[in-house]
mmCIF file with all atom_site columns, all heavy atoms in Angstrom:
data_model
loop_
_atom_site.group_PDB
_atom_site.id
_atom_site.type_symbol
_atom_site.label_atom_id
_atom_site.label_alt_id
_atom_site.label_comp_id
_atom_site.label_asym_id
_atom_site.label_entity_id
_atom_site.label_seq_id
_atom_site.pdbx_PDB_ins_code
_atom_site.Cartn_x
_atom_site.Cartn_y
_atom_site.Cartn_z
_atom_site.occupancy
_atom_site.B_iso_or_equiv
_atom_site.pdbx_formal_charge
_atom_site.auth_seq_id
_atom_site.auth_comp_id
_atom_site.auth_asym_id
_atom_site.auth_atom_id
_atom_site.pdbx_PDB_model_num
ATOM 1   N N   . PHE A 1 345 ? -5.357  -25.074 10.317  1.00 0.00 ? 345 PHE A N   1
ATOM 2   C CA  . PHE A 1 345 ? -6.331  -25.864 9.575   1.00 0.00 ? 345 PHE A CA  1
ATOM 3   C C   . PHE A 1 345 ? -7.679  -25.149 9.572   1.00 0.00 ? 345 PHE A C   1
ATOM 4   O O   . PHE A 1 345 ? -7.972  -24.343 10.446  1.00 0.00 ? 345 PHE A O   1
ATOM 5   C CB  . PHE A 1 345 ? -6.480  -27.250 10.207  1.00 0.00 ? 345 PHE A CB  1
ATOM 6   C CG  . PHE A 1 345 ? -5.229  -28.077 10.169  1.00 0.00 ? 345 PHE A CG  1
ATOM 7   C CD1 . PHE A 1 345 ? -4.322  -28.040 11.219  1.00 0.00 ? 345 PHE A CD1 1
ATOM 8   C CD2 . PHE A 1 345 ? -4.951  -28.880 9.073   1.00 0.00 ? 345 PHE A CD2 1
ATOM 9   C CE1 . PHE A 1 345 ? -3.160  -28.787 11.185  1.00 0.00 ? 345 PHE A CE1 1
ATOM 10  C CE2 . PHE A 1 345 ? -3.787  -29.636 9.030   1.00 0.00 ? 345 PHE A CE2 1
ATOM 11  C CZ  . PHE A 1 345 ? -2.889  -29.586 10.089  1.00 0.00 ? 345 PHE A CZ  1
ATOM 12  N N   . SER A 1 346 ? -8.483  -25.455 8.582   1.00 0.00 ? 346 SER A N   1
ATOM 13  C CA  . SER A 1 346 ? -9.805  -24.833 8.485   1.00 0.00 ? 346 SER A CA  1
ATOM 14  C C   . SER A 1 346 ? -10.689 -25.661 7.564   1.00 0.00 ? 346 SER A C   1
ATOM 15  O O   . SER A 1 346 ? -10.196 -26.368 6.680   1.00 0.00 ? 346 SER A O   1
ATOM 16  C CB  . SER A 1 346 ? -9.689  -23.405 7.943   1.00 0.00 ? 346 SER A CB  1
ATOM 17  O OG  . SER A 1 346 ? -10.962 -22.834 7.731   1.00 0.00 ? 346 SER A OG  1
ATOM 18  N N   . ASP A 1 347 ? -11.990 -25.584 7.799   1.00 0.00 ? 347 ASP A N   1
ATOM 19  C CA  . ASP A 1 347 ? -12.936 -26.213 6.873   1.00 0.00 ? 347 ASP A CA  1
ATOM 20  C C   . ASP A 1 347 ? -12.994 -25.453 5.553   1.00 0.00 ? 347 ASP A C   1
ATOM 21  O O   . ASP A 1 347 ? -13.452 -25.978 4.541   1.00 0.00 ? 347 ASP A O   1
ATOM 22  C CB  . ASP A 1 347 ? -14.338 -26.258 7.493   1.00 0.00 ? 347 ASP A CB  1
ATOM 23  C CG  . ASP A 1 347 ? -14.410 -27.218 8.673   1.00 0.00 ? 347 ASP A CG  1
ATOM 24  O OD1 . ASP A 1 347 ? -13.590 -28.168 8.711   1.00 0.00 ? 347 ASP A OD1 1
ATOM 25  O OD2 . ASP A 1 347 ? -15.257 -27.010 9.556   1.00 0.00 ? 347 ASP A OD2 1
ATOM 26  N N   . SER A 1 348 ? -12.536 -24.196 5.565   1.00 0.00 ? 348 SER A N   1
ATOM 27  C CA  . SER A 1 348 ? -12.468 -23.393 4.340   1.00 0.00 ? 348 SER A CA  1
ATOM 28  C C   . SER A 1 348 ? -11.059 -23.501 3.776   1.00 0.00 ? 348 SER A C   1
ATOM 29  O O   . SER A 1 348 ? -10.084 -23.118 4.440   1.00 0.00 ? 348 SER A O   1
ATOM 30  C CB  . SER A 1 348 ? -12.793 -21.926 4.635   1.00 0.00 ? 348 SER A CB  1
ATOM 31  O OG  . SER A 1 348 ? -14.082 -21.795 5.209   1.00 0.00 ? 348 SER A OG  1
ATOM 32  N N   . ALA A 1 349 ? -10.936 -24.015 2.563   1.00 0.00 ? 349 ALA A N   1
ATOM 33  C CA  . ALA A 1 349 ? -9.616  -24.257 1.973   1.00 0.00 ? 349 ALA A CA  1
ATOM 34  C C   . ALA A 1 349 ? -8.777  -22.995 1.907   1.00 0.00 ? 349 ALA A C   1
ATOM 35  O O   . ALA A 1 349 ? -7.556  -23.034 2.109   1.00 0.00 ? 349 ALA A O   1
ATOM 36  C CB  . ALA A 1 349 ? -9.783  -24.854 0.571   1.00 0.00 ? 349 ALA A CB  1
ATOM 37  N N   . GLU A 1 350 ? -9.422  -21.842 1.657   1.00 0.00 ? 350 GLU A N   1
ATOM 38  C CA  . GLU A 1 350 ? -8.666  -20.602 1.503   1.00 0.00 ? 350 GLU A CA  1
ATOM 39  C C   . GLU A 1 350 ? -8.066  -20.116 2.822   1.00 0.00 ? 350 GLU A C   1
ATOM 40  O O   . GLU A 1 350 ? -7.193  -19.242 2.833   1.00 0.00 ? 350 GLU A O   1
ATOM 41  C CB  . GLU A 1 350 ? -9.539  -19.501 0.891   1.00 0.00 ? 350 GLU A CB  1
ATOM 42  C CG  . GLU A 1 350 ? -10.675 -19.015 1.756   1.00 0.00 ? 350 GLU A CG  1
ATOM 43  C CD  . GLU A 1 350 ? -11.960 -19.841 1.618   1.00 0.00 ? 350 GLU A CD  1
ATOM 44  O OE1 . GLU A 1 350 ? -11.906 -20.912 0.984   1.00 0.00 ? 350 GLU A OE1 1
ATOM 45  O OE2 . GLU A 1 350 ? -13.010 -19.393 2.135   1.00 0.00 ? 350 GLU A OE2 1
ATOM 46  N N   . LYS A 1 351 ? -8.511  -20.681 3.938   1.00 0.00 ? 351 LYS A N   1
ATOM 47  C CA  . LYS A 1 351 ? -7.983  -20.249 5.235   1.00 0.00 ? 351 LYS A CA  1
ATOM 48  C C   . LYS A 1 351 ? -6.940  -21.215 5.796   1.00 0.00 ? 351 LYS A C   1
ATOM 49  O O   . LYS A 1 351 ? -6.420  -20.992 6.893   1.00 0.00 ? 351 LYS A O   1
ATOM 50  C CB  . LYS A 1 351 ? -9.129  -20.057 6.232   1.00 0.00 ? 351 LYS A CB  1
ATOM 51  C CG  . LYS A 1 351 ? -9.997  -18.847 5.903   1.00 0.00 ? 351 LYS A CG  1
ATOM 52  C CD  . LYS A 1 351 ? -10.698 -18.304 7.116   1.00 0.00 ? 351 LYS A CD  1
ATOM 53  C CE  . LYS A 1 351 ? -11.330 -16.947 6.822   1.00 0.00 ? 351 LYS A CE  1
ATOM 54  N NZ  . LYS A 1 351 ? -11.972 -16.354 7.998   1.00 0.00 ? 351 LYS A NZ  1
ATOM 55  N N   . ILE A 1 352 ? -6.627  -22.271 5.068   1.00 0.00 ? 352 ILE A N   1
ATOM 56  C CA  . ILE A 1 352 ? -5.538  -23.154 5.469   1.00 0.00 ? 352 ILE A CA  1
ATOM 57  C C   . ILE A 1 352 ? -4.221  -22.488 5.089   1.00 0.00 ? 352 ILE A C   1
ATOM 58  O O   . ILE A 1 352 ? -4.032  -22.068 3.952   1.00 0.00 ? 352 ILE A O   1
ATOM 59  C CB  . ILE A 1 352 ? -5.666  -24.525 4.782   1.00 0.00 ? 352 ILE A CB  1
ATOM 60  C CG1 . ILE A 1 352 ? -6.978  -25.210 5.201   1.00 0.00 ? 352 ILE A CG1 1
ATOM 61  C CG2 . ILE A 1 352 ? -4.476  -25.413 5.127   1.00 0.00 ? 352 ILE A CG2 1
ATOM 62  C CD1 . ILE A 1 352 ? -7.250  -26.510 4.474   1.00 0.00 ? 352 ILE A CD1 1
ATOM 63  N N   . THR A 1 353 ? -3.317  -22.367 6.042   1.00 0.00 ? 353 THR A N   1
ATOM 64  C CA  . THR A 1 353 ? -2.069  -21.642 5.796   1.00 0.00 ? 353 THR A CA  1
ATOM 65  C C   . THR A 1 353 ? -0.982  -22.566 5.249   1.00 0.00 ? 353 THR A C   1
ATOM 66  O O   . THR A 1 353 ? -1.126  -23.791 5.251   1.00 0.00 ? 353 THR A O   1
ATOM 67  C CB  . THR A 1 353 ? -1.585  -20.966 7.087   1.00 0.00 ? 353 THR A CB  1
ATOM 68  O OG1 . THR A 1 353 ? -1.354  -21.970 8.084   1.00 0.00 ? 353 THR A OG1 1
ATOM 69  C CG2 . THR A 1 353 ? -2.613  -19.972 7.596   1.00 0.00 ? 353 THR A CG2 1
ATOM 70  N N   . ASN A 1 354 ? 0.095   -21.959 4.802   1.00 0.00 ? 354 ASN A N   1
ATOM 71  C CA  . ASN A 1 354 ? 1.237   -22.707 4.276   1.00 0.00 ? 354 ASN A CA  1
ATOM 72  C C   . ASN A 1 354 ? 2.318   -22.814 5.343   1.00 0.00 ? 354 ASN A C   1
ATOM 73  O O   . ASN A 1 354 ? 2.734   -21.800 5.907   1.00 0.00 ? 354 ASN A O   1
ATOM 74  C CB  . ASN A 1 354 ? 1.799   -22.015 3.032   1.00 0.00 ? 354 ASN A CB  1
ATOM 75  C CG  . ASN A 1 354 ? 0.838   -22.092 1.867   1.00 0.00 ? 354 ASN A CG  1
ATOM 76  O OD1 . ASN A 1 354 ? 0.263   -23.133 1.589   1.00 0.00 ? 354 ASN A OD1 1
ATOM 77  N ND2 . ASN A 1 354 ? 0.643   -20.972 1.175   1.00 0.00 ? 354 ASN A ND2 1
ATOM 78  N N   . PRO A 1 355 ? 2.801   -24.022 5.621   1.00 0.00 ? 355 PRO A N   1
ATOM 79  C CA  . PRO A 1 355 ? 3.739   -24.220 6.727   1.00 0.00 ? 355 PRO A CA  1
ATOM 80  C C   . PRO A 1 355 ? 5.187   -23.953 6.347   1.00 0.00 ? 355 PRO A C   1
ATOM 81  O O   . PRO A 1 355 ? 5.542   -23.880 5.174   1.00 0.00 ? 355 PRO A O   1
ATOM 82  C CB  . PRO A 1 355 ? 3.539   -25.706 7.055   1.00 0.00 ? 355 PRO A CB  1
ATOM 83  C CG  . PRO A 1 355 ? 3.225   -26.327 5.719   1.00 0.00 ? 355 PRO A CG  1
ATOM 84  C CD  . PRO A 1 355 ? 2.409   -25.297 4.980   1.00 0.00 ? 355 PRO A CD  1
ATOM 85  N N   . GLY A 1 356 ? 6.021   -23.834 7.386   1.00 0.00 ? 356 GLY A N   1
ATOM 86  C CA  . GLY A 1 356 ? 7.460   -23.814 7.202   1.00 0.00 ? 356 GLY A CA  1
ATOM 87  C C   . GLY A 1 356 ? 8.053   -22.433 6.960   1.00 0.00 ? 356 GLY A C   1
ATOM 88  O O   . GLY A 1 356 ? 7.353   -21.441 6.747   1.00 0.00 ? 356 GLY A O   1
ATOM 89  N N   . PHE A 1 357 ? 9.374   -22.398 6.991   1.00 0.00 ? 357 PHE A N   1
ATOM 90  C CA  . PHE A 1 357 ? 10.144  -21.181 6.705   1.00 0.00 ? 357 PHE A CA  1
ATOM 91  C C   . PHE A 1 357 ? 10.319  -21.110 5.202   1.00 0.00 ? 357 PHE A C   1
ATOM 92  O O   . PHE A 1 357 ? 10.961  -21.952 4.594   1.00 0.00 ? 357 PHE A O   1
ATOM 93  C CB  . PHE A 1 357 ? 11.494  -21.261 7.427   1.00 0.00 ? 357 PHE A CB  1
ATOM 94  C CG  . PHE A 1 357 ? 12.357  -20.043 7.276   1.00 0.00 ? 357 PHE A CG  1
ATOM 95  C CD1 . PHE A 1 357 ? 11.811  -18.769 7.105   1.00 0.00 ? 357 PHE A CD1 1
ATOM 96  C CD2 . PHE A 1 357 ? 13.740  -20.160 7.313   1.00 0.00 ? 357 PHE A CD2 1
ATOM 97  C CE1 . PHE A 1 357 ? 12.616  -17.653 6.968   1.00 0.00 ? 357 PHE A CE1 1
ATOM 98  C CE2 . PHE A 1 357 ? 14.563  -19.046 7.181   1.00 0.00 ? 357 PHE A CE2 1
ATOM 99  C CZ  . PHE A 1 357 ? 14.001  -17.795 7.011   1.00 0.00 ? 357 PHE A CZ  1
ATOM 100 N N   . LYS A 1 358 ? 9.749   -20.076 4.593   1.00 0.00 ? 358 LYS A N   1
ATOM 101 C CA  . LYS A 1 358 ? 9.578   -20.053 3.145   1.00 0.00 ? 358 LYS A CA  1
ATOM 102 C C   . LYS A 1 358 ? 10.286  -18.854 2.508   1.00 0.00 ? 358 LYS A C   1
ATOM 103 O O   . LYS A 1 358 ? 10.734  -17.939 3.185   1.00 0.00 ? 358 LYS A O   1
ATOM 104 C CB  . LYS A 1 358 ? 8.083   -20.004 2.807   1.00 0.00 ? 358 LYS A CB  1
ATOM 105 C CG  . LYS A 1 358 ? 7.298   -21.212 3.314   1.00 0.00 ? 358 LYS A CG  1
ATOM 106 C CD  . LYS A 1 358 ? 5.822   -21.089 3.047   1.00 0.00 ? 358 LYS A CD  1
ATOM 107 C CE  . LYS A 1 358 ? 5.143   -20.063 3.923   1.00 0.00 ? 358 LYS A CE  1
ATOM 108 N NZ  . LYS A 1 358 ? 5.171   -20.409 5.358   1.00 0.00 ? 358 LYS A NZ  1
ATOM 109 N N   . THR A 1 359 ? 10.312  -18.905 1.200   1.00 0.00 ? 359 THR A N   1
ATOM 110 C CA  . THR A 1 359 ? 10.730  -17.761 0.417   1.00 0.00 ? 359 THR A CA  1
ATOM 111 C C   . THR A 1 359 ? 9.768   -17.628 -0.759  1.00 0.00 ? 359 THR A C   1
ATOM 112 O O   . THR A 1 359 ? 8.875   -18.474 -0.945  1.00 0.00 ? 359 THR A O   1
ATOM 113 C CB  . THR A 1 359 ? 12.187  -17.894 -0.053  1.00 0.00 ? 359 THR A CB  1
ATOM 114 O OG1 . THR A 1 359 ? 12.623  -16.638 -0.584  1.00 0.00 ? 359 THR A OG1 1
ATOM 115 C CG2 . THR A 1 359 ? 12.337  -18.973 -1.119  1.00 0.00 ? 359 THR A CG2 1
ATOM 116 N N   . LEU A 1 360 ? 9.926   -16.579 -1.542  1.00 0.00 ? 360 LEU A N   1
ATOM 117 C CA  . LEU A 1 360 ? 8.998   -16.293 -2.634  1.00 0.00 ? 360 LEU A CA  1
ATOM 118 C C   . LEU A 1 360 ? 9.789   -15.922 -3.878  1.00 0.00 ? 360 LEU A C   1
ATOM 119 O O   . LEU A 1 360 ? 10.693  -15.086 -3.820  1.00 0.00 ? 360 LEU A O   1
ATOM 120 C CB  . LEU A 1 360 ? 8.072   -15.136 -2.230  1.00 0.00 ? 360 LEU A CB  1
ATOM 121 C CG  . LEU A 1 360 ? 7.044   -14.653 -3.251  1.00 0.00 ? 360 LEU A CG  1
ATOM 122 C CD1 . LEU A 1 360 ? 6.012   -15.730 -3.545  1.00 0.00 ? 360 LEU A CD1 1
ATOM 123 C CD2 . LEU A 1 360 ? 6.347   -13.387 -2.743  1.00 0.00 ? 360 LEU A CD2 1
ATOM 124 N N   . TYR A 1 361 ? 9.451   -16.553 -4.984  1.00 0.00 ? 361 TYR A N   1
ATOM 125 C CA  . TYR A 1 361 ? 10.101  -16.272 -6.266  1.00 0.00 ? 361 TYR A CA  1
ATOM 126 C C   . TYR A 1 361 ? 9.090   -15.691 -7.245  1.00 0.00 ? 361 TYR A C   1
ATOM 127 O O   . TYR A 1 361 ? 7.909   -16.089 -7.256  1.00 0.00 ? 361 TYR A O   1
ATOM 128 C CB  . TYR A 1 361 ? 10.667  -17.553 -6.889  1.00 0.00 ? 361 TYR A CB  1
ATOM 129 C CG  . TYR A 1 361 ? 11.834  -18.156 -6.159  1.00 0.00 ? 361 TYR A CG  1
ATOM 130 C CD1 . TYR A 1 361 ? 11.640  -19.174 -5.235  1.00 0.00 ? 361 TYR A CD1 1
ATOM 131 C CD2 . TYR A 1 361 ? 13.126  -17.715 -6.396  1.00 0.00 ? 361 TYR A CD2 1
ATOM 132 C CE1 . TYR A 1 361 ? 12.711  -19.756 -4.556  1.00 0.00 ? 361 TYR A CE1 1
ATOM 133 C CE2 . TYR A 1 361 ? 14.208  -18.285 -5.735  1.00 0.00 ? 361 TYR A CE2 1
ATOM 134 C CZ  . TYR A 1 361 ? 13.993  -19.296 -4.810  1.00 0.00 ? 361 TYR A CZ  1
ATOM 135 O OH  . TYR A 1 361 ? 15.059  -19.856 -4.157  1.00 0.00 ? 361 TYR A OH  1
ATOM 136 N N   . ARG A 1 362 ? 9.555   -14.787 -8.078  1.00 0.00 ? 362 ARG A N   1
ATOM 137 C CA  . ARG A 1 362 ? 8.772   -14.350 -9.238  1.00 0.00 ? 362 ARG A CA  1
ATOM 138 C C   . ARG A 1 362 ? 9.435   -14.959 -10.467 1.00 0.00 ? 362 ARG A C   1
ATOM 139 O O   . ARG A 1 362 ? 10.645  -14.801 -10.685 1.00 0.00 ? 362 ARG A O   1
ATOM 140 C CB  . ARG A 1 362 ? 8.708   -12.831 -9.344  1.00 0.00 ? 362 ARG A CB  1
ATOM 141 C CG  . ARG A 1 362 ? 7.912   -12.340 -10.565 1.00 0.00 ? 362 ARG A CG  1
ATOM 142 C CD  . ARG A 1 362 ? 7.195   -11.039 -10.260 1.00 0.00 ? 362 ARG A CD  1
ATOM 143 N NE  . ARG A 1 362 ? 6.153   -11.232 -9.273  1.00 0.00 ? 362 ARG A NE  1
ATOM 144 C CZ  . ARG A 1 362 ? 5.620   -10.263 -8.521  1.00 0.00 ? 362 ARG A CZ  1
ATOM 145 N NH1 . ARG A 1 362 ? 6.065   -9.025  -8.664  1.00 0.00 ? 362 ARG A NH1 1
ATOM 146 N NH2 . ARG A 1 362 ? 4.667   -10.516 -7.641  1.00 0.00 ? 362 ARG A NH2 1
ATOM 147 N N   . ILE A 1 363 ? 8.622   -15.643 -11.241 1.00 0.00 ? 363 ILE A N   1
ATOM 148 C CA  . ILE A 1 363 ? 9.110   -16.359 -12.414 1.00 0.00 ? 363 ILE A CA  1
ATOM 149 C C   . ILE A 1 363 ? 8.782   -15.538 -13.661 1.00 0.00 ? 363 ILE A C   1
ATOM 150 O O   . ILE A 1 363 ? 7.617   -15.193 -13.902 1.00 0.00 ? 363 ILE A O   1
ATOM 151 C CB  . ILE A 1 363 ? 8.463   -17.756 -12.537 1.00 0.00 ? 363 ILE A CB  1
ATOM 152 C CG1 . ILE A 1 363 ? 8.595   -18.523 -11.201 1.00 0.00 ? 363 ILE A CG1 1
ATOM 153 C CG2 . ILE A 1 363 ? 9.079   -18.525 -13.687 1.00 0.00 ? 363 ILE A CG2 1
ATOM 154 C CD1 . ILE A 1 363 ? 10.016  -18.767 -10.758 1.00 0.00 ? 363 ILE A CD1 1
ATOM 155 N N   . TYR A 1 364 ? 9.802   -15.218 -14.435 1.00 0.00 ? 364 TYR A N   1
ATOM 156 C CA  . TYR A 1 364 ? 9.633   -14.461 -15.671 1.00 0.00 ? 364 TYR A CA  1
ATOM 157 C C   . TYR A 1 364 ? 9.950   -15.350 -16.874 1.00 0.00 ? 364 TYR A C   1
ATOM 158 O O   . TYR A 1 364 ? 10.867  -16.180 -16.824 1.00 0.00 ? 364 TYR A O   1
ATOM 159 C CB  . TYR A 1 364 ? 10.590  -13.263 -15.715 1.00 0.00 ? 364 TYR A CB  1
ATOM 160 C CG  . TYR A 1 364 ? 10.405  -12.260 -14.604 1.00 0.00 ? 364 TYR A CG  1
ATOM 161 C CD1 . TYR A 1 364 ? 11.156  -12.355 -13.429 1.00 0.00 ? 364 TYR A CD1 1
ATOM 162 C CD2 . TYR A 1 364 ? 9.508   -11.206 -14.725 1.00 0.00 ? 364 TYR A CD2 1
ATOM 163 C CE1 . TYR A 1 364 ? 11.007  -11.425 -12.413 1.00 0.00 ? 364 TYR A CE1 1
ATOM 164 C CE2 . TYR A 1 364 ? 9.356   -10.274 -13.715 1.00 0.00 ? 364 TYR A CE2 1
ATOM 165 C CZ  . TYR A 1 364 ? 10.102  -10.390 -12.559 1.00 0.00 ? 364 TYR A CZ  1
ATOM 166 O OH  . TYR A 1 364 ? 9.957   -9.463  -11.545 1.00 0.00 ? 364 TYR A OH  1
ATOM 167 N N   . GLU A 1 365 ? 9.195   -15.151 -17.941 1.00 0.00 ? 365 GLU A N   1
ATOM 168 C CA  . GLU A 1 365 ? 9.531   -15.801 -19.207 1.00 0.00 ? 365 GLU A CA  1
ATOM 169 C C   . GLU A 1 365 ? 10.699  -15.050 -19.841 1.00 0.00 ? 365 GLU A C   1
ATOM 170 O O   . GLU A 1 365 ? 10.640  -13.831 -20.003 1.00 0.00 ? 365 GLU A O   1
ATOM 171 C CB  . GLU A 1 365 ? 8.325   -15.763 -20.151 1.00 0.00 ? 365 GLU A CB  1
ATOM 172 C CG  . GLU A 1 365 ? 7.130   -16.549 -19.663 1.00 0.00 ? 365 GLU A CG  1
ATOM 173 C CD  . GLU A 1 365 ? 5.944   -16.393 -20.600 1.00 0.00 ? 365 GLU A CD  1
ATOM 174 O OE1 . GLU A 1 365 ? 5.392   -15.276 -20.659 1.00 0.00 ? 365 GLU A OE1 1
ATOM 175 O OE2 . GLU A 1 365 ? 5.596   -17.371 -21.274 1.00 0.00 ? 365 GLU A OE2 1
ATOM 176 N N   . LYS A 1 366 ? 11.729  -15.757 -20.193 1.00 0.00 ? 366 LYS A N   1
ATOM 177 C CA  . LYS A 1 366 ? 12.910  -15.087 -20.747 1.00 0.00 ? 366 LYS A CA  1
ATOM 178 C C   . LYS A 1 366 ? 12.633  -14.455 -22.100 1.00 0.00 ? 366 LYS A C   1
ATOM 179 O O   . LYS A 1 366 ? 13.161  -13.395 -22.423 1.00 0.00 ? 366 LYS A O   1
ATOM 180 C CB  . LYS A 1 366 ? 14.070  -16.090 -20.863 1.00 0.00 ? 366 LYS A CB  1
ATOM 181 C CG  . LYS A 1 366 ? 14.958  -16.142 -19.640 1.00 0.00 ? 366 LYS A CG  1
ATOM 182 C CD  . LYS A 1 366 ? 16.234  -16.900 -19.929 1.00 0.00 ? 366 LYS A CD  1
ATOM 183 C CE  . LYS A 1 366 ? 17.167  -16.838 -18.721 1.00 0.00 ? 366 LYS A CE  1
ATOM 184 N NZ  . LYS A 1 366 ? 18.403  -17.608 -18.945 1.00 0.00 ? 366 LYS A NZ  1
ATOM 185 N N   . ASP A 1 367 ? 11.791  -15.081 -22.912 1.00 0.00 ? 367 ASP A N   1
ATOM 186 C CA  . ASP A 1 367 ? 11.589  -14.559 -24.263 1.00 0.00 ? 367 ASP A CA  1
ATOM 187 C C   . ASP A 1 367 ? 10.771  -13.277 -24.278 1.00 0.00 ? 367 ASP A C   1
ATOM 188 O O   . ASP A 1 367 ? 10.944  -12.420 -25.141 1.00 0.00 ? 367 ASP A O   1
ATOM 189 C CB  . ASP A 1 367 ? 10.952  -15.619 -25.168 1.00 0.00 ? 367 ASP A CB  1
ATOM 190 C CG  . ASP A 1 367 ? 9.638   -16.140 -24.625 1.00 0.00 ? 367 ASP A CG  1
ATOM 191 O OD1 . ASP A 1 367 ? 9.377   -15.955 -23.419 1.00 0.00 ? 367 ASP A OD1 1
ATOM 192 O OD2 . ASP A 1 367 ? 8.867   -16.740 -25.398 1.00 0.00 ? 367 ASP A OD2 1
#
Side-chain angles (χ1 to χ4, degrees):
F345 297 91
S346 175
D347 291 335
S348 302
E350 67 273 10
K351 290 205 169 183
I352 298 175
T353 60
N354 292 315
F357 183 30
K358 299 176 288 296
T359 191
L360 178 65
Y361 292 96
R362 179 147 293 159
I363 309 299
Y364 299 93
E365 296 176 292
K366 269 193 175 178
D367 57 342

